[in-house]
Amino acid sequence: MAARELQTQAAAGPVVLARSGLHACLGEPVLGAINFLNEVIDRYPEAISFAPGAPAPSLLETVDVAADLETYIAHLGRVEGLTEAQVRRRLYQYGPSRGIINGLLAEALQRDQGIEVAPGGIVVTVGFQEGMLLTLRALFAGPGDVLAMVQPCFVGAVGAARVLGIDTLPVDEGSEGVDLDQLRAVCARARAEGRRIRAVYVAPDYANPSGTLLPLALRVGLLEVAAQEDFLLLEDATYGFTAPDERALPSLKALDQEGRVIHFGTLAKIAMPGLRVGFVVADQRVAGGTVLADDLTAIKSMTTVNTSPVCQAIVGGMLLSHGVSLQALGDAKGRYYGERLNSLLSALQRHVDTGKDGLPAWNRPRGGFFVRVRVPVVVDAALLEVSARDHGVLWTPMSSFYLDGGGRHELRLSCSYLTDAQIDEGVSRLGRFLRDPRICGKRP
Ligand SMILES: Cc1ncc(COP(=O)(O)O)c(C=O)c1O
């Protein structure tokens, strides 16, 4: 019997679920963005891929999770007087939803950035991604609440909003990191429509994909606008560890006097993504005497229940062997990525010719994993196919990072996953691709 399209149940034969019966978010292009790239990477295994923002494989080879675990177990034995068997039992059981390494994270935030937060104001999450989902779920109470997002914007943040059906509005980065006039205009427009900007997502440190480092004056300005317009700031601090020699700017959370900043950290890049450990600093007071972290904890208890205690313990061990400092944990890696970024920028200089129209052109970020290249043609899936099939090089179309159809003439290159030799060869291929008459011929 032929498969039939049904909303619920087939009387006989295989059930086929109607698309219209599934949540509308599944039709959102952003939810397919990562799978689309993985699928192209799988089809062209010989291609050099500048697509993944994943950590360098060589940095993961040196991780010794067994040793980190032992360090943490010995620490718990010392500070809580537990036997190794008692500690192991604790780690192998379900754990508290809020997390078990909150105290170490609070100590690290104080040491690294002067952020004073009680362990109870932190929730340890399954990466940034879960932290974002929990926070958006808690903060967005109704259809009038809108999330403004500084764009171009990390797809994971946009995707979290889509999954929850939260309305978003873009605010352009502009030349410096966020266009505050546009942000004020977006707030006014929302108000005129009877809605409100509840929160603004921003990644101030070498953002993905723009590489922008938000200057101090704009950090202060953003906090001022947040106070005037009464919204919260969702600060994604993922790439703050890169360019360790230049990183001197305080985080928004460190500057925050009013409790307007919810700060997201992840161990994905400074430790390893396979742990799936991140955290949210959500110490905002909630009427009735609790803090926002209590509410995130309640939601987490009904989603992932708790972040793996074993993985948290490994992170705990890593922190303990780096002086309880996230900064110290990330420093050597930050330097490593700084070198790869320089390799990518100098390879572009060597291999990519700029035409009379000034294109291709690229930015020169001082940190982060990414470089954006502006090209004279529309960058879409078909162009990526040509690049992969005929030139053996992959990248990410920048349009995936825009909420409003922007970025159509840009592509993103990531330096994090490749060696210098691969970067050189990949950019040489990219140069050939950009000189391909089929590309140049399309120049307007
Ligand atoms: C801007 C940004 N935030 C967060 C993350 C990390 O998310 P997670 O901790 O869920 O791996 C990434 C990873 O690519 C990112 O680029």
Side-chain angles (χ1 to χ4, degrees):
M1 191 184 185
R4 289 154 303 129
E5 191 166 280
L6 291 173
Q7 291 270 18
T8 50
Q9 236 189 325
V15 169
V16 177
L17 300 176
R19 269 269 137 233
S20 58
L22 301 177
H23 192 270
C25 74
L26 290 163
E28 293 284 348
V30 72
L31 267 75
I34 289 168
N35 281 346
F36 160 72
L37 279 173
N38 288 340
E39 185 266 321
V40 184
I41 292 170
D42 284 351
R43 265 191 300 122
Y44 296 101
E46 299 304 320
I48 292 179
S49 179
F50 289 99
S58 63
L59 295 183
L60 303 181
E61 277 163 19
T62 54
V63 176
D64 183 350
V65 293
D68 294 323
L69 203 47
E70 290 309 322
T71 303
Y72 185 74
I73 290 170
H75 164 79
L76 271 197
R78 268 195 316 276
V79 297
E80 293 196 27
L82 301 179
T83 64
E84 187 174 325
Q86 285 170 322
V87 175
R88 283 186 192 278
R89 220 171 297 140
R90 186 188 283 185
L91 298 186
Y92 297 170
Q93 263 300 356
Y94 289 109
S97 296
R98 196 183 305 264
I100 60 170
I101 55 167
N102 311 46
L104 288 174
L105 290 169
E107 192 180 330
L109 288 164
Q110 206 291 325
R111 176 163 295 122
D112 295 343
Q113 305 186 47
I115 294 174
E116 298 288 349
V117 57
I122 298 174
V123 183
V124 186
T125 54
V126 181
F128 161 87
Q129 197 62 32
E130 190 202 19
M132 187 73 179
L133 272 167
L134 300 178
T135 305
L136 293 179
R137 180 65 299 149
L139 293 181
F140 285 73
D145 288 346
V146 181
L147 174 65
M149 309 193 86
V150 177
Q151 74 167 6
C153 181
F154 171 49
V155 288
V158 182
R162 296 285 175 266
V163 165
L164 295 172
I166 290 169
D167 277 350
T168 58
L169 282 172
V171 177
D172 289 321
E173 264 201 354
S175 55
E176 286 210 277
V178 58
D179 182 336
L180 291 184
D181 291 336
Q182 199 185 100
L183 176 56
R184 283 194 196 89
V186 163
C187 292
R189 198 169 81 222
R191 222 178 2 258
E193 291 167 357
R195 305 196 293 167
R196 65 166 176 172
I197 299 299
R198 174 68 160 136
V200 175
Y201 167 84
V202 60
D205 304 318
Y206 309 113
N208 173 9
S210 69
T212 304
L213 179 68
L214 199 66
L216 182 59
L218 274 182
R219 291 175 193 237
V220 173
L222 194 51
L223 283 159
E224 282 167 5
V225 178
Q228 287 153 9
E229 300 286 350
D230 194 20
F231 58 71
L232 296 165
L233 286 164
L234 310 184
E235 175 180 43
D236 180 346
T238 296
Y239 295 99
F241 76 103
T242 60
D245 298 327
E246 297 204 23
R247 179 193 50 213
L249 293 178
S251 64
L252 292 170
K253 181 71 187 166
L255 292 168
D256 182 20
Q257 304 281 319
E258 285 192 359
R260 293 215 170 256
V261 179
I262 299 170
H263 180 88
F264 297 83
T266 177
L267 277 292
K269 317 284 172 172
I270 57 173
M272 50 193 246
L275 291 169
R276 305 306 300 132
V277 176
F279 59 91
V280 188
V281 182
D283 56 346
Q284 284 65 24
R285 288 190 338 197
V286 177
T290 58
V291 290
L292 182 62
D294 298 327
D295 296 299
L296 303 190
T297 301
I299 300 173
K300 183 173 171 68
S301 74
M302 289 295 146
T303 50
T304 55
V305 183
N306 58 256
T307 303
S308 158
V310 176
C311 292
Q312 290 185 68
I314 293 167
V315 171
M318 290 175 172
L319 284 172
L320 288 162
S321 44
H322 287 86
V324 193
S325 162
L326 291 155
Q327 203 162 296
L329 181 57
D331 260 4
K333 294 190 177 79
R335 285 205 180 82
Y336 172 91
Y337 291 120
E339 288 163 15
R340 299 296 82 66
L341 187 59
N342 285 337
S343 298
L344 177 55
L345 289 167
S346 48
L348 283 163
Q349 200 68 42
R350 273 196 305 284
H351 296 300
V352 178
D353 308 320
T354 300
K356 287 202 187 72
D357 53 3
L359 299 176
W362 54 92
N363 65 337
R364 287 171 180 74
R366 303 173 82 111
F369 286 5
F370 309 104
V371 173
R372 6 179 349 186
V373 182
R374 195 167 172 77
V375 297
V377 290
V378 171
V379 176
D380 55 14
L383 196 74
L384 182 60
E385 196 74 33
V386 172
S387 179
R389 189 187 56 228
D390 300 343
H391 297 279
V393 61
L394 285 160
W395 31 261
T396 309
M398 275 288 291
S399 51
S400 318
F401 302 102
Y402 282 82
L403 279 74
D404 59 359
R408 289 177 71 242
H409 292 91
E410 282 184 287
L411 53 92
R412 186 195 77 172
L413 303 175
S414 168
C415 70
S416 62
Y417 197 70
L418 302 175
T419 61
D420 280 354
Q422 289 168 322
I423 288 173
D424 187 67
E425 173 58 23
V427 176
S428 151
R429 293 182 190 186
L430 183 78
R432 283 198 292 279
F433 159 68
L434 293 171
R435 288 191 296 276
D436 185 325
R438 284 172 296 174
I439 314 291
C440 300
K442 285 200 213 158
R443 279 178 117 110

